[in-house]
């Protein structure tokens, strides 16, 4: 396996690969020779990079900010986008973007699949659609230490344990236009808890003539997936509706000693069934005002796998409703002042249930976390002068939690309870971007929070970008943060693990920073290199079966992204991340945080012509530390072996509107251990049809 890893990059190296897309905002004219990676425009006869803008995106592209006066009424109308408008994010940290065409090429079936191709992410899921508890980390931060948004609206709740974390399977992939990843001063805009980063999922809009797209897939492990989307526009109304139904049993043979291995030698209780619906409607009321409504619903039924011993038989039901209504208006003339007001509602219903066998007697237990969250946001982008832009506003979030714990196990009856808790959080935020000169830009941000449980706290941020030469620019950022314990960690008994809540928990506090350089290595090759770090005190964990603040964790690492234009029809990307997340206090002092690999690499090479497509993806993972629920005899200093994975996807055109899609995954047929004795399947395949009418 190690030989394969060294040989494959050598073969790919001749093509020098690059990351899909980075940073959408334009640089000042004096340093336009160092564009953000996603700004590279290729001739119409050439293939774009693996992350491509679709035709719809090109039609709906808003007028650049530099053009403060629209040239016509039509142009002005186009610049008011219903949902998919590009976010205005400071350039002192990179913004990674994956567009819908690349998502389709990857054959992604969830947001987790999409994020796997982004630098910095370690996602330890078992198979397609598997439960979220096996861990998602960005730059060493857990999924709850990052902020997840849909169209700029939060989808994280105040729940922090595995069955209440952000469900990356909850949004139909068919409805996604692109996924954007921010860090640095963006934390001032979207939440002080973003020690890792901010993931913004932008959904599709409808433009032009009505269009029906869809796909149907069947494959290994009883996979059955259908997706359909219908969108278009009529006058001032834009609309898009999507549906996805997904099932996979994830039942495959695993080695002796694997977690959740049944008596027949198969992975047990890993099946997943989901149905997701998405709808959006946007109305341009006039040249200055637009209204937008989007709704997402999820019904999910799956088994739980938390790499535990003995056999894990708990089930997880998750139902979700997310609704957002936004009003966008252009104040005054031109593009100098834009105001967006958003109201959101999110409900997550998580129910875990399963048997417990004690001395030959089977008992049953149930734990329910029902969260309802109402959010409101006022966001004003104001170009005060040609060289100074202010983005400021107000966030409001009210969370209500109903937690029900029920067990007929005599040893657990004392923990049976019903908890009704609520918390209100309000925050004022502002980020000022000051163009000191044509080559020097400074970002200053602040976020003042008022929390119903943990009082008031202030988190500043700062960033800069400086062009040393027309081919080299340096940048850096720093942001302070605070993440409060979840209502479940504070008050609700965890029926699956038997973990007790702790109302005396303290917030996690600390800061994160980045330093990087953007280099134009040649006319066709751009590189971005980012050194990142964070220091997080009072990190939350479990000690002797009870939630507690376990101490300090310092993280540092390196991200590298390269992008190369090769030739017509060819596209490439490469990104690499090194993460050192070191525990600084407690019994595990000096150890790497569990489930986070030191090194990870993703690369790809693709070719397309006349409807034909072929894409080869390579993933390398150095292996993570086994940390919790380890097998008898395992040490908490043991690491999972490194592994290499190769995936191949392709499309064969049948007609101009119909194609055969093929995904061949794990070509090396290596049944590697992802984390804590959880093993991936060997070689699997998916075959289906995709259409566009």
């Amino acid at each position: 396996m190690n030989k394969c890893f060294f040989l494959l990059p050598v073969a790919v190296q001749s093509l020098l690969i690059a990351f899909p897309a980075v940073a959408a905002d334009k640089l000042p004219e004096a340093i336009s020779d160092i564009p953000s990676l996603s700004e590279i425009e290729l001739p119409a006869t050439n293939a774009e990079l693996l992350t491509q803008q679709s035709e719809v995106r090109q039609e709906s592209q808003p007028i650049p900010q530099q053009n403060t006066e629209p040239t016509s009424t039509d142009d002005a109308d186009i610049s008011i986008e219903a949902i998919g408008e590009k976010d205005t994010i400071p350039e002192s940290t990179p913004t990674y973007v994956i567009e819908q065409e690349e998502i389709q090429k990857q054959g992604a079936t969830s947001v987790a699949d999409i994020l796997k191709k982004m630098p910095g992410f370690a996602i330890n899921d078992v198979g397609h659609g598997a439960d979220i508890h096996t861990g998602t980390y960005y730059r060493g931060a857990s999924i709850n230490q990052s902020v997840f948004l849909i169209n700029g609206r939060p989808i994280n709740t105040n729940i922090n344990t595995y069955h209440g974390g952000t469900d990356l399977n909850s949004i139909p992939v068919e409805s996604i236009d692109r996924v954007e990843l921010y860090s640095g001063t963006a934390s001032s805009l979207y939440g002080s808890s973003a020690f890792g980063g901010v993931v913004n999922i932008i959904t599709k809009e409808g433009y032009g003539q009505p269009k029906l797209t869809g796909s149907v897939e069947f494959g290994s492990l009883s996979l059955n997936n259908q997706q359909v989307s219908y969108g278009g526009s009529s006058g001032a109304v834009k609309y898009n509706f999507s549906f996805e139904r997904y099932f996979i049993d994830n039942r495959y043979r695993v080695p002796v000693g694997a977690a959740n291995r049944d008596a027949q030698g198969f992975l047990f209780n890993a099946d997943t069934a989901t149905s997701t619906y998405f709808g959006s409607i946007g109305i341009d009321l006039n040249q200055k005002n637009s209204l937008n409504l989007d709704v997402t619903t999820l019904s999910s039924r799956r088994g739980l796998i938390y790499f535990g011993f003995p056999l894990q038989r708990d089930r997880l039901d998750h139902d979700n409703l997310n609704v957002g209504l936004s009003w966008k208006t252009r104040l005054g003339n031109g593009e100098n002042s834009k105001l967006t007001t958003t109201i959101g509602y999110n409900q997550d219903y998580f129910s875990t249930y399963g048997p417990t066998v004690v001395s030959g007697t089977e008992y049953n237990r149930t734990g329910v976390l029902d969260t309802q969250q109402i959010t409101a946001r006022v966001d004003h982008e104001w170009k005060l002068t040609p060289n100074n832009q202010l983005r400021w506003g107000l966030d409001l979030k009210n969370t209500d939690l109903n937690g029900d714990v029920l067990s007929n196990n005599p040893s657990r009856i004392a923990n049976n309870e019903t908890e009704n808790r609520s918390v209100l959080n309000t925050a004022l935020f502002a980020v000022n971007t000051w163009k000191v000169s044509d080559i020097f830009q400074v970002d200053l941000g602040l976020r003042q929070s008022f929390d119903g449980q943990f009082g008031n706290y202030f988190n500043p941020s700062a960033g800069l970008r400086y062009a040393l030469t027309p081919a080299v620019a340096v940048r850096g950022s720093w942001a302070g943060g605070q993440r409060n314990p979840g209502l479940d960690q504070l008050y609700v008994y965890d029926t699956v693990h038997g973990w007790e809540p702790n109302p005396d928990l303290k917030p996690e506090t600390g800061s994160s920073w980045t330093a990087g350089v953007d280099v134009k290595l040649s006319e066709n090759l751009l590189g971005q290199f980012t050194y990142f770090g964070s220091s997080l005190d009072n990190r939350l964990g479990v000690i002797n079966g009870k939630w507690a603040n376990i101490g300090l964790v310092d993280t540092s690492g390196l991200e590298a992204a390269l992008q190369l234009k090769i030739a017509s029809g060819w596209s490439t990307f490469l990104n690499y991340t090194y993460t050192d997340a070191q525990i600084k206090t407690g019994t595990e002092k000096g150890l790497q945080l569990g489930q986070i690999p030191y090194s990870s690499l993703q690369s790809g090479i693709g070719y397309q012509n006349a409807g034909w497509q072929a894409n080869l993806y390579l993933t390398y993972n150095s292996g993570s530390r086994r940390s919790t629920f380890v097998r008898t005899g395992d040490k908490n200093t043991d690491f999972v072996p490194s592994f290499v994975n190769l995936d191949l996807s392709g499309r064969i055109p049948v007609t101009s509107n119909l194609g055969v899609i093929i995904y061949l995954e794990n070509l090396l047929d290596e049944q590697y251990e992802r984390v804590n004795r959880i093993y991936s399947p060997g070689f699997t395949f998916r075959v289906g049809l995709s259409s566009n009418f």
Side-chain angles (χ1 to χ4, degrees):
M1 182 175 64
N2 291 335
K3 291 181 179 179
C4 293
F5 169 66
F6 288 113
L7 290 175
L8 287 167
V10 171
V12 177
Q13 186 177 8
S14 61
L15 300 172
L16 273 180
I17 327 187
F19 182 73
V22 182
D25 294 335
K26 294 190 178 294
L27 299 173
E29 292 181 2
I31 57 172
S32 59
D33 285 344
I34 324 171
S36 299
L37 298 188
S38 62
E39 293 180 345
I40 301 177
E41 296 182 359
L42 301 179
T45 55
N46 286 2
E48 296 195 2
L49 302 173
L50 278 180
T51 299
Q52 301 183 25
Q53 287 188 341
S54 66
E55 294 180 0
V56 173
R57 289 277 300 142
Q58 292 170 347
E59 291 171 2
S60 61
Q61 186 70 29
I63 298 173
Q65 282 192 331
Q66 291 90 334
N67 299 336
T68 56
E69 295 295 332
T71 56
S72 69
T73 300
D74 291 340
D75 287 342
D77 290 340
I78 291 175
S79 68
I80 304 177
E81 292 198 336
I83 294 179
E85 187 172 358
K86 182 175 64 180
D87 207 353
T88 304
I89 296 296
E91 296 177 346
S92 50
T93 54
T95 297
Y96 301 112
V97 182
I98 290 187
E99 304 275 3
Q100 60 177 291
E101 277 199 43
E102 174 61 14
I103 293 171
Q104 293 170 356
K105 289 179 180 180
Q106 293 173 5
T109 59
S110 68
V111 175
D113 282 345
I114 298 171
L115 296 179
K116 286 178 183 177
K117 297 297 191 295
M118 285 188 166
F121 269 97
I123 298 179
N124 302 315
D125 57 354
V126 181
H128 295 293
D131 73 85
I132 59 176
H133 183 236
T134 44
T136 296
Y137 299 88
Y138 177 62
R139 291 180 176 174
S142 72
I143 190 172
N144 291 307
Q145 292 165 335
S146 295
V147 173
F148 284 78
L149 312 169
I150 179 170
N151 302 319
R153 193 175 65 252
I155 57 176
N156 296 73
T157 64
N158 194 259
I159 306 304
N160 284 265
T161 52
Y162 74 95
H163 50 315
T166 304
D167 191 343
L168 299 182
N169 299 284
S170 63
I171 299 171
V173 173
E174 182 63 32
S175 70
I176 297 175
D177 179 67
R178 66 190 184 277
V179 176
E180 302 174 345
L181 174 60
Y182 320 134
S183 59
T185 49
S187 62
S188 293
L189 296 174
Y190 290 114
S192 61
S193 62
F195 286 100
V198 178
V199 176
N200 194 7
I201 302 161
I202 309 297
T203 56
K204 292 179 182 177
E205 298 181 271
Y207 281 94
Q209 294 296 320
K211 181 184 294 185
L212 177 67
T213 61
S215 65
V216 57
E217 295 176 5
F218 300 92
S220 303
L221 312 178
S222 302
L223 182 142
N224 184 339
N225 184 23
Q226 300 92 39
Q227 300 185 47
V228 63
S229 179
Y230 180 75
S233 62
S234 177
V237 179
K238 310 177 188 75
Y239 53 88
N240 189 78
F241 305 97
S242 301
F243 166 74
E244 180 175 358
R245 178 184 177 275
Y246 186 89
F247 173 79
I248 189 169
D249 66 12
N250 277 317
R251 181 169 168 78
Y252 52 88
R253 290 194 176 274
V254 290
V256 175
N260 246 47
R261 183 179 188 267
D262 66 15
Q264 289 75 43
F266 288 87
L267 182 67
F268 175 76
N269 200 43
D271 58 289
T272 290
T274 61
S275 295
T276 50
Y277 300 83
F278 171 81
S280 69
I281 297 177
I283 304 174
D284 289 339
L285 302 175
N286 52 43
Q287 295 183 15
K288 292 188 175 183
N289 294 275
S290 66
L291 281 176
N292 316 284
L293 173 69
D294 66 277
V295 181
T296 304
T297 67
L298 163 73
S299 179
S300 170
R301 304 292 180 264
R302 56 168 56 95
L304 275 178
I305 307 175
Y306 61 81
F307 33 79
F309 300 91
L311 206 63
Q312 168 71 10
R313 295 191 286 170
D314 282 279
R315 306 290 297 177
L316 169 63
D317 294 350
H318 178 202
D319 296 305
N320 169 258
L321 172 64
N322 189 286
V323 181
L325 176 66
S326 66
W327 169 35
K328 298 183 180 182
T329 185
R330 187 188 297 120
L331 304 176
N333 298 319
E335 298 287 330
N336 291 336
S337 182
K338 297 179 182 180
L339 181 67
T340 302
T341 304
T342 304
I343 298 175
Y345 172 80
N346 186 81
Q347 181 180 22
D348 275 306
Y349 177 88
F350 290 93
S351 175
T352 55
Y353 51 93
T356 300
V357 179
V358 180
S359 300
T361 302
E362 184 172 285
Y363 301 98
N364 291 296
R365 63 186 186 278
T366 300
V368 172
L369 297 175
D370 186 1
T371 307
Q372 299 186 58
Q373 193 171 80
I374 296 176
T375 61
R377 180 180 176 93
V378 178
D379 191 334
H380 185 204
E381 297 181 36
W382 189 7
K383 194 169 186 179
L384 302 172
T385 70
N387 296 326
N388 193 0
Q389 177 161 312
L390 174 66
R391 185 173 176 182
W392 67 284
L394 169 70
D395 269 335
L396 184 148
K397 179 171 63 178
N398 186 80
T399 305
D400 292 306
L401 170 67
N402 178 272
D404 286 315
V405 177
L406 179 63
S407 174
N408 62 359
N409 183 347
S411 65
R412 293 194 176 195
I413 288 177
N415 300 108
N416 290 347
E417 62 173 337
T418 297
E419 290 281 352
N420 292 288
R421 300 283 178 170
S422 63
V423 61
L424 174 66
N425 183 281
T426 306
L428 298 171
F429 63 86
V431 173
N432 188 79
T433 299
W434 181 29
K435 181 182 173 184
V436 181
S437 67
D438 286 340
I439 61 174
F440 187 35
Q441 178 178 301
V442 175
D443 305 314
L444 298 174
L446 59 87
R447 189 175 184 90
Q448 176 67 55
S449 298
F450 309 90
D451 189 86
Q453 281 188 306
F454 295 98
N456 306 335
Y457 46 95
F458 177 74
N459 300 113
S461 64
L464 60 86
R465 184 182 179 91
Y466 182 73
L468 298 174
T469 72
V472 179
V474 295
R475 50 182 165 71
S477 70
W478 176 91
Q482 174 170 321
R483 187 178 80 93
N484 300 328
L487 290 173
D488 56 329
Q489 294 170 315
L490 290 165
Y491 304 113
V492 183
Y493 178 71
D494 187 327
T495 61
V496 174
H497 304 97
W499 293 340
E500 296 181 8
N502 184 353
D504 297 322
L505 292 174
K506 299 176 182 179
E508 297 176 333
T509 57
S511 61
S512 59
W513 50 268
T514 67
V517 58
D518 302 333
V519 184
K520 185 175 181 180
L521 301 170
S522 70
E523 287 299 318
N524 297 322
L525 178 63
L526 295 179
Q528 273 203 326
F529 306 91
T530 303
Y531 188 53
F532 63 85
S534 66
S535 182
L536 182 63
D537 202 6
N538 291 324
R539 188 180 177 98
L540 294 169
V542 177
I543 299 178
N544 297 324
K546 186 175 182 177
W547 283 105
N549 295 102
I550 62 176
L552 176 68
V553 175
D554 285 347
T555 301
S556 61
L558 174 68
E559 289 175 359
L562 296 173
Q563 178 168 313
L564 174 69
K565 295 188 296 184
I566 302 176
S568 176
W570 289 92
S571 51
T572 61
F573 79 86
L574 177 140
N575 58 68
Y576 169 79
T577 305
Y578 175 83
T579 306
D580 182 4
Q582 188 173 130
I583 301 170
K584 308 298 288 188
T585 59
T587 58
E588 295 187 336
K589 180 179 179 180
L591 297 180
Q592 173 87 340
L593 274 178
Q595 306 173 45
I596 300 173
Y598 280 111
S599 293
S600 62
L601 178 146
Q602 304 86 27
S603 64
I605 180 169
Y607 178 78
Q608 62 179 12
N609 184 29
W612 294 79
Q613 288 184 9
N615 305 279
L616 180 66
Y617 298 97
L618 179 147
T619 300
Y620 167 75
N621 186 302
S622 66
S624 58
R625 185 173 69 90
R626 301 190 185 112
S627 58
T628 56
F629 303 105
V630 294
R631 186 181 64 178
T632 302
D634 286 345
K635 300 177 182 178
N636 68 351
T637 55
D638 291 344
F639 272 72
V640 169
S642 62
F643 63 84
V644 172
N645 183 71
L646 276 177
D647 297 329
L648 178 67
S649 69
R651 182 181 187 274
I652 303 171
V654 179
T655 69
S656 59
N657 297 320
L658 183 67
V660 176
I661 49 178
I662 303 171
Y663 302 103
L664 306 178
E665 293 153 326
N666 199 346
L667 295 176
L668 302 178
D669 197 21
E670 180 77 20
Q671 194 167 30
Y672 47 82
E673 180 183 353
R674 289 206 65 92
V675 62
N676 280 61
R677 302 296 179 181
I678 289 288
Y679 292 83
S680 67
F683 171 78
T684 60
F685 71 91
R686 290 183 283 152
V687 178
L689 295 173
S690 64
S691 61
N692 187 334
F693 298 98

